[in-house]
Amino acid sequence: MPPLNDALLQQLLAAAASARSHSHAPYSRYAVGAAVLDEQGRVHAGCNIENAAYPQGWCAETTALGAMVMAGGRQARAVLVMGPGPEVITPCGGCRQKLREFNSGDLLVIAADPAGIQAHWTLEQLLPASFGPGHLRF
Ligand code: THU
């Protein structure tokens, strides 16, 4: 695993698991928790929140990013996403773009399930040639 010490990893795992226990997913029954590590070393967590009007629901990563921004965080260093397994979870396209707003590419994206860590990538691997804040500085 690239630069993240074991204590931080355990902190992200615990925060994502706890957030996942709050998931509101009565339609898909697919509970997700996410934990974002910010530039100050703080962890912000969130769960997916579905809606009876299906398209209005949103992902755990989005909730966690909202918590980070509300706490004053402006850079994401790592995000751990925990799904139910057994298929390895991976952030949806919309969340990849939302994460991109707060990191230019070296963001570590870690996929987990209740049994532990299953995979990891950089955001650059998941969203190559991305559109970002730099494009609007023309
Ligand atoms: N979901 C997440 O919260 N994060 C992901 O990375 C993948 C999918 C949620 C959205 C929806 O509530 C449920 O999982 C099924 O798609």
Side-chain angles (χ1 to χ4, degrees), residues 7-101:
L8 265 178
L9 213 49
Q10 292 309 319
Q11 209 184 322
L12 288 171
L13 266 171
S18 167
R20 185 169 177 265
S21 75
H22 296 290
S23 165
H24 176 72
Y27 309 107
S28 72
R29 305 259 168 217
Y30 190 87
V32 184
V36 176
L37 177 70
D38 76 10
E39 77 280 12
Q40 299 171 55
R42 301 175 304 171
V43 172
H44 310 276
C47 63
N48 56 333
I49 303 176
E50 297 184 348
N51 193 285
Y54 292 175
Q56 298 305 322
W58 67 88
C59 291
E61 295 90 322
T62 299
T63 309
L65 278 176
M68 182 191 83
V69 170
M70 282 302 295
R74 284 298 181 273
Q75 276 289 307
R77 297 287 176 229
V79 58
L80 186 147
V81 189
M82 182 181 291
E87 180 94 9
V88 175
I89 191 168
T90 168
C92 78
C95 284
R96 293 176 193 200
Q97 183 64 38
K98 289 184 178 78
L99 291 163
R100 168 67 183 87
E101 182 68 16

Side-chain angles (χ1 to χ4, degrees), residues 75 100-104 131-138:
Q75 276 289 307
R100 168 67 183 87
E101 182 68 16
F102 300 102
N103 187 291
S104 54
F131 185 86
H135 286 87
L136 300 184
R137 292 191 280 271
F138 56 91

